[in-house]
Amino acid sequence: MKKERLVSLDVMRGLTVACMILVNNGAGPDTFAQLQHSKWHGLTFCDLVFPFFLFMVGVSIYISFNKIKFAYSPDVVKKIVKRTVMLFAIGLLLHMWDMATKGNWNLVSDLRIWGVLQRIALCYGIVSFMSLRLSWKSMLIVAVCLLVGYSFLLPFFHGYDLSDENIIAVVDRAVFGEAHLYRKSPIDPEGLLSTIPSIGHTIIGFSFGQILMSDKPLKDKLKDIRMEWTSFAFISIGLIAEIPLNKRVWSTSYVILTCTLAMLVMYVLLIIIDKWGKKGWCKIFQAFGMNAFFIYVVSEVLAPALSHWGLKMPIYEAIHSVVSNTYWASLTYALLFVLVMALIAWVLWKKKIVIKI
C-alpha cells in the first residue's frame, strides 16, 4: 500500500526556503539584526535558515533512496553524480551572474568557488553514496566521528579566531587561492574544511528521515521524535557550554543546536498538519516546498538583476516614502520580494509542475 505523503515535510522545506529568500533580500541602509548573520560567535534567526535547509536535504536523501531500498546500481550512481555536479555548477553560475551584474567580467580569475549550493552539492553527494553502503545507524556513528574530530581540530589551529591564521582560512587559501574565496571576511562561511561538520549535519537529517518514513503509526513516530529531540537537546546544552556557537566555522555546538531546533519545528508541524489536519494555512509554503531549489535559484537570479537594472533602490525608496522607519522599510522590501517568489511557486504548484534540480 502506498504511503500517504507527509504534507509537513513540504511545508517545512517551503518555510525554510521562504526564510532563506527573506534574509537574503533586505534593502536600504538598515536591516534588523535578526535578519543578518552573526558577525562571529552567536546565533540569530538568519543563522538558522541554512542549517534547517541542510537538515531537510538529509531527510530528503533518506526519502528518495528509501524508495529503492538503498540498492546500489550504476543508474543510481549516475543520478547522484549528475545531481551533485548540477547543484555545484548552478552555484558557480549564480556567482558568475552576481559578478556580471556588478560589472566584474573576470568570471574565472575572481570566481568564488564555495557557496550555499556548492555545500549542499557536496553534502548531498557524499551522504547519498554513504546511504547505499551503510545503515543509518552506521552513518550516525560516522557523523559523531566527524563532529568530534572537528571539535578537537579547531581549538589547536585557531579555529575560533576571526583571522587569517584560522585553519579554515589557511586550508582554503592553500587549495583555492585568495581570489576564489569569500571577500567580506577572512573565513569563507562555506569553506572546504567546514564542510566536514556539514556532512555530519546532513547525516543527522538523514537519520531523522528514517523516523519519519518508518512504518509506525504517526503517534509512535511522534514518540520517537520526542525521544531523539530530548537527547539532542541535552547534548546541545552540554556542547554550548564548551564550544562557541559559530555559523561561519559550522561549529559542532551549532550543528547539534540547529538540528535540535529543526526537529522541534518538524515535530510541531507534524502535529498541526498531519495529526490535527490543519492544512489550509500552509498551502503557500507547500507550494514553495514542492519547488524549493528552483525558487531559490530564481530568487538568486532576480535579486542582483533588480540592482543591475536600477530598480531595487527606487522600489525601496517608494516603500520608504510610506514606511518611514528604515528597518521596517527594508523588511517590507524583503517581504514583497518573497511575495513575488510565492506567486511563481503558487503558479507552478497549481499547474502541478515540479522542476527538479
Side-chain angles (χ1 to χ4, degrees):
M1 189 173 81
K2 186 177 179 181
K3 291 182 181 179
E4 185 177 352
R5 187 183 184 95
L6 290 174
V7 176
S8 52
L9 284 171
D10 291 325
V11 174
M12 175 74 164
R13 194 182 297 112
L15 274 167
T16 304
V17 78
C19 289
M20 286 179 79
I21 295 169
L22 177 71
V23 300
N24 285 343
N25 288 284
D30 299 309
T31 304
F32 285 114
Q34 286 300 315
L35 299 180
Q36 301 179 61
H37 290 297
S38 301
K39 301 301 182 184
W40 191 233
H41 295 326
L43 189 72
T44 65
F45 172 78
C46 185
D47 293 327
L48 295 175
V49 180
F50 187 19
F52 270 44
F53 197 85
L54 198 57
F55 179 88
M56 293 306 298
V57 169
V59 173
S60 298
I61 291 171
Y62 187 92
I63 294 172
S64 177
F65 292 104
N66 184 53
K67 295 174 183 177
I68 59 169
K69 305 301 179 185
F70 303 99
Y72 180 93
S73 72
D75 286 341
V76 172
V77 170
K78 184 178 178 180
K79 173 187 174 183
I80 294 171
V81 172
K82 180 180 178 181
R83 194 173 193 211
T84 300
V85 171
M86 184 184 298
L87 285 169
F88 203 100
I90 292 173
L92 292 177
L93 289 172
L94 288 177
H95 284 332
M96 288 182 176
W97 172 247
D98 185 61
M99 292 166 64
T101 58
K102 293 175 180 176
N104 182 357
W105 290 95
N106 299 317
L107 300 182
V108 175
S109 60
D110 291 344
L111 177 64
R112 181 189 170 203
I113 300 298
W114 295 114
V116 169
L117 287 180
Q118 292 91 315
R119 170 159 289 182
I120 290 174
L122 289 183
C123 290
Y124 167 80
I126 292 170
V127 175
S128 293
F129 278 122
M130 288 175 63
S131 73
L132 301 180
R133 293 300 190 190
L134 300 174
S135 68
W136 68 270
K137 291 182 179 179
S138 297
M139 289 175 66
L140 265 182
I141 293 172
V142 172
V144 170
C145 292
L146 291 176
L147 294 172
V148 171
Y150 188 70
S151 296
F152 278 103
L153 175 70
L154 292 187
F156 291 104
F157 296 96
H158 307 284
Y160 296 116
D161 297 343
L162 183 57
S163 72
D164 291 333
E165 295 181 357
N166 189 301
I167 183 64
I168 296 171
V170 171
V171 169
D172 281 337
R173 285 198 307 271
V175 177
F176 303 103
E178 192 85 43
H180 297 296
L181 301 175
Y182 191 68
R183 305 296 175 82
K184 300 177 183 178
S185 166
I187 315 298
D188 193 311
E190 283 87 37
L192 179 61
L193 197 62
S194 56
T195 301
I196 293 173
S198 300
I199 293 168
H201 191 122
T202 310
I203 292 173
I204 294 172
F206 179 90
S207 70
F208 192 79
Q210 186 274 334
I211 295 176
L212 292 177
M213 301 311 295
S214 71
D215 294 325
K216 295 180 179 180
L218 181 59
K219 64 177 183 178
D220 291 333
K221 291 181 183 180
L222 291 171
K223 182 180 179 181
D224 289 345
I225 291 171
R226 282 199 302 271
M227 290 176 62
E228 184 163 339
W229 180 87
T230 302
S231 300
F232 271 74
F234 277 110
I235 295 171
S236 298
I237 294 170
L239 287 176
I240 293 169
E242 300 294 333
I243 301 174
L245 284 170
N246 193 306
K247 188 261 182 191
R248 292 184 185 273
V249 303
W250 217 268
S251 65
T252 300
S253 57
Y254 176 74
V255 170
I256 301 301
L257 178 62
T258 53
C259 285
T260 302
L261 294 175
M263 290 177 192
L264 178 60
V265 173
M266 191 69 239
Y267 177 78
V268 172
L269 290 176
L270 277 165
I271 291 176
I272 295 174
I273 298 171
D274 296 294
K275 183 178 180 180
W276 295 346
K278 307 293 185 180
K279 302 178 181 180
W281 65 274
C282 63
K283 288 183 179 179
I284 187 59
F285 297 113
Q286 190 177 0
F288 264 112
M290 294 297 291
N291 284 287
F293 276 112
F294 177 73
I295 296 299
Y296 174 76
V297 170
V298 170
S299 74
E300 290 294 291
V301 170
L302 181 59
L306 289 175
S307 296
H308 178 68
W309 295 333
L311 296 175
K312 181 174 182 176
M313 286 313 296
I315 294 173
Y316 168 77
E317 292 298 339
I319 294 170
H320 189 212
S321 67
V322 177
V323 182
S324 59
N325 184 286
T326 53
Y327 290 93
W328 286 104
S330 175
L331 178 58
T332 303
Y333 177 92
L335 288 170
L336 287 174
F337 191 94
V338 173
L339 179 60
V340 172
M341 295 300 103
L343 290 174
I344 297 172
W346 186 261
V347 170
L348 292 173
W349 187 57
K350 295 300 286 185
K351 293 182 177 293
K352 295 181 168 53
I353 297 173
V354 177
I355 303 174
K356 294 186 176 181
I357 295 179

